[in-house]
Amino acid sequence: MIPRRYARIKQVLDRRQPDLTVLTEDVHKPHNLSAIIRTCDAVGVFAVHAVNRHSNTPTYSQVAQGSEKWVKLSSHSDIKTAIKHLQQQHRVYAAHLSDTAVDYRQIDYTQPTAILLGTEKWGVTPEAAGLVDGHIIIPMQGMVQSLNVSVANAVILFEAQRQRLQAGLYDRVRLDPETYRRVLFEWGYPDIAALYHRQGKPYPRLGEQGEILYRE
Ligand code: SAM
């Protein structure tokens, strides 16, 4: 890995926000999922969560521009498991056009937050809507009732980014040191990382310029 790439990867990891995430509920169109992942990368989301009742393997369209390599996607078996899992460390807000929804700008996104996005046609399921900590809405002034799901994701995440920039959350490393070291190696040396992974061996350490220190 050339030093410039090493510096770039570190710059991105330095800004990743492990306590800001997105959960998609049956978002099944590849271009929507791709656009969601791309925005997540842009805002510094470290991992995205997905529940897909109809397929386990999300596919990516060109909209992703390769961003799926930089944002981890975790699949969950069902929406209840996914929400309960995230609620251990986050408040989960459904982007949902309900009567109880509050304006998305009223939420404090500097706190650990997960945004639930609903499926393209039907939105968030009643089950999921009943499990989350609150509903948020992007006010609509036009004839059409809702935004495209990836657009809604972008609007909400950039408000989260605005608040987090103001609070200085991008000015210090937020990933724990072990995750940081692991991901730095995996992003810098994906093939070698896969080899070590297959052999069940820990990754070697990296030097100042990103070179592999096979012997220390
Ligand atoms: N008919 C569906 C409904 O009533 O929810 C519309 C689904 S919309 C195309 C897909 C997803 O995008 C929604 O489930 C929600 O997560 C998000 N979304 C779209 N527009 C939104 C808005 N104005 N406020 C909050 N979320 C929105």
Side-chain angles (χ1 to χ4, degrees):
M1 171 166 50
I2 58 170
R4 208 175 51 194
R5 181 157 175 88
Y6 180 62
R8 175 84 184 119
I9 291 176
K10 281 182 59 167
Q11 199 180 48
V12 170
L13 286 179
D14 286 353
R15 289 170 176 71
R16 280 298 195 242
Q17 305 287 305
D19 58 352
L20 177 65
T21 189
V22 167
L23 167 62
T24 62
E25 185 182 25
D26 291 324
V27 172
H28 59 275
K29 293 188 179 165
H31 65 271
N32 283 336
L33 191 63
S34 293
I36 288 168
I37 303 250
R38 188 169 171 180
T39 299
C40 285
D41 173 58
V43 170
V45 168
F46 181 65
V48 169
H49 299 260
V51 172
N52 274 82
R53 276 177 299 180
H54 309 297
S55 109
N56 290 326
T57 345
T59 47
Y60 301 101
S61 76
Q62 294 207 330
V63 176
Q65 293 273 309
S67 52
E68 72 280 3
K69 279 189 278 190
W70 317 117
V71 181
K72 184 172 177 272
L73 183 69
S74 293
S75 290
H76 298 265
S77 53
D78 59 84
I79 195 67
K80 185 174 178 185
T81 310
I83 292 173
K84 294 285 172 202
H85 169 75
L86 287 171
Q87 278 174 331
Q88 288 168 21
Q89 287 178 346
H90 306 77
R91 287 184 76 79
V92 181
Y93 296 103
H96 186 40
L97 302 117
S98 73
D99 292 343
T100 59
V102 299
D103 186 309
Y104 75 104
R105 289 161 292 202
Q106 287 181 25
I107 302 300
D108 179 359
Y109 298 99
T110 63
Q111 298 304 308
T113 305
I115 307 297
L116 169 67
L117 300 166
T119 188
E120 286 88 347
K121 190 157 183 186
W122 305 110
V124 170
T125 59
E127 182 190 11
L131 289 166
V132 294
D133 300 294
H135 299 171
I136 52 176
I137 189 168
I138 303 160
M140 305 283 293
Q141 320 296 348
M143 295 289 284
V144 180
Q145 193 211 9
S146 65
L147 294 166
N148 166 277
V149 62
S150 68
V151 174
N153 175 59
V155 170
I156 297 165
L157 282 188
F158 275 92
E159 169 62 11
Q161 188 201 58
R162 188 191 67 77
Q163 292 185 14
R164 282 174 175 244
L165 280 168
Q166 214 164 47
L169 292 180
Y170 290 93
D171 298 339
R172 57 177 193 273
V173 176
R174 310 283 322 289
L175 291 172
D176 66 84
E178 200 189 315
T179 305
Y180 191 103
R181 262 199 307 276
R182 176 177 57 75
V183 178
L184 184 60
F185 192 89
E186 288 171 354
W187 287 9
Y189 298 98
D191 297 339
I192 302 174
L195 199 69
Y196 272 83
H197 195 66
R198 275 202 298 278
Q199 294 173 347
K201 288 194 206 157
Y203 301 146
R205 294 186 86 79
L206 297 177
E208 297 265 299
Q209 303 289 313
E211 72 281 16
I212 298 180
L213 303 175
Y214 284 109
R215 285 196 205 96
E216 287 185 75

